[in-house]
Amino acid sequence: MPPDTPATTRFDALAVKRQFPGLADERLHYLDNAATAQMPEAVFDAMRRFETDARANVHGGSHRCARRAMDAYAEARSRVARFLNAASSNEVVFTYGATAAINLAAYSFGQSLQPGDIVLLSVLEHHSNLVPWQKLAERRGVVLRFLPMTEDGRIDLDRVEEEAAMGCRLIALTHCSNVTGAVTDVARVVRAARANGARVLIDGAQLAPHTPLDMRALGVDFYAFSGHKTFGPTGIGVLWGRRELLDSMPPFLTGGQMIQKVTLEGATFRDPPFRFEAGTPPIAQAIGLGAALDWMLTLDWKAIREYELRLTRRLLAGLAQLSGVRVIGPTDTASRRGVVSFHVEGCTPDEVCRALDMRGLALRGGYHCAQPLFAAAGVDGAARASLAPYNTEADIDVLLDALGRLVGRNDAARMAAGHAFPAQG
Ligand code: PMP
């Protein structure tokens, strides 16, 4: 291979795709990965092994199945810690998803906040990283402030230092927008927070599916993500938290398994992470997530990054050729991931997605749980294509072809009705 051959030529998306039973139908073009990604065979295998060889509860029990279940559950936690490069697996709390993880942080960490303390968010946040803080504000008199959005759909960090200095106790931002695909400069956010004694929570639901992470290097205090977007099962997610912070936080949900001692008058609680895992956890799902993240660690993410950007560039260039199609977010590939939302003039996002579905294209349309973002952009929802390593150029080309026909039909209808359509990038 010549020295300047790009790594992309070495990444074999079809070999990855063959590992996914859900993608066996060649007519399916699955581009809804930001909502839920498909699962590789390795994850089905791990979950099936647990259900057939080790199915039992993970709390206590001295029989062999219980021991196997406890070992597998502990191993799953270690696998998550490895994926996150966490200092210890005790920093990994299993939740049922990113939403539950952020609710946990908002409730438990939120108990340490006082009336007037500021939590800094952005207008790009998913409702999961907005509504729990609104509820905290109602409960404790905390004040929410918001970083605006730039013209090209990024969190505007221009004033983050200033905002962090205004009595801010926590900055809670998305790592990657689920609408625009823009990636946040977390290092800058962390510097601003540290300079002012604030904590940082990052909603990693959209970045974790695109790369293994490094909690020690990232320097944040909390990180949340979901299993079903990282090639694992639904019903499982993670809140990673710094040990000393988790130690200082009260439980969120209470009940069995998370206690040390219970009397009729009260209870004492176990150390983290168990303090935050009340009741029987989603055991098979945790094991499936561990297998999914291990599977991710077998891939060449540098090559995938280049590959994904190549597909994203192809998609953005194709969309720019279509009249009446407006991309919501960056139209270049700097600091972004393969999540591309677009509005088609004259069609609702749902109509676009239904038309695309006729061609085997799976895309999602609507507000993507980010209504304030759409209000700020002045757009009434969007269809969204989101990429995973098993997507191919063919997926992009079929999408562009189908959109071209849809836009062409719209144009023709407009011409027939006697008014022309303004072309937009
Ligand atoms: N944050 C972001 C940025 C997301 O994209 C999502 C899922 N769409 C969530 C949080 C919530 O994830 P879940 O529904 O798995 O809890």
Side-chain angles (χ1 to χ4, degrees), residues 61-116:
S62 40
H63 61 77
R64 66 197 60 193
C65 294
R67 284 198 308 272
R68 282 190 208 128
M70 285 188 285
D71 287 350
Y73 188 61
E75 175 62 24
R77 202 187 300 278
S78 302
R79 289 174 179 204
V80 176
R82 188 154 63 231
F83 177 82
L84 294 173
N85 192 27
S88 152
S89 61
N90 287 336
E91 295 183 330
V92 173
V93 181
F94 282 124
T95 64
Y96 75 76
T99 302
I102 296 169
N103 272 276
L104 193 174
Y107 182 86
S108 296
F109 174 77
Q111 299 284 86
S112 67
L113 301 184
Q114 305 303 324

Side-chain angles (χ1 to χ4, degrees), residues 5-6 18 28 73 93 98 102 113 118 154 161 172-173 194 196 211 248 281 301 342 378 391 395 409-410 414-415:
T5 302
R18 280 194 289 275
L28 173 66
Y73 188 61
V93 181
I102 296 169
L113 301 184
I118 288 173
R154 299 177 184 282
E161 291 80 10
L173 299 175
R194 291 285 170 265
N196 295 283
T211 179
S248 71
W301 286 95
F342 53 91
N391 286 122
D395 295 329
R409 271 206 305 274
N410 278 351
R414 252 158 219 270
M415 300 282 258

Side-chain angles (χ1 to χ4, degrees), residues 34 97-99 126 128 174 176 178 203 205-206 226 228-229:
T99 302
H126 189 281
S128 293
T174 188
C176 171
N178 66 312
D203 171 0
Q206 291 300 337
S226 290
H228 65 103
K229 298 183 202 282

Side-chain angles (χ1 to χ4, degrees), residues 220-232:
V220 302
D221 299 290
F222 298 105
Y223 200 92
F225 69 98
S226 290
H228 65 103
K229 298 183 202 282
T230 49
F231 312 101

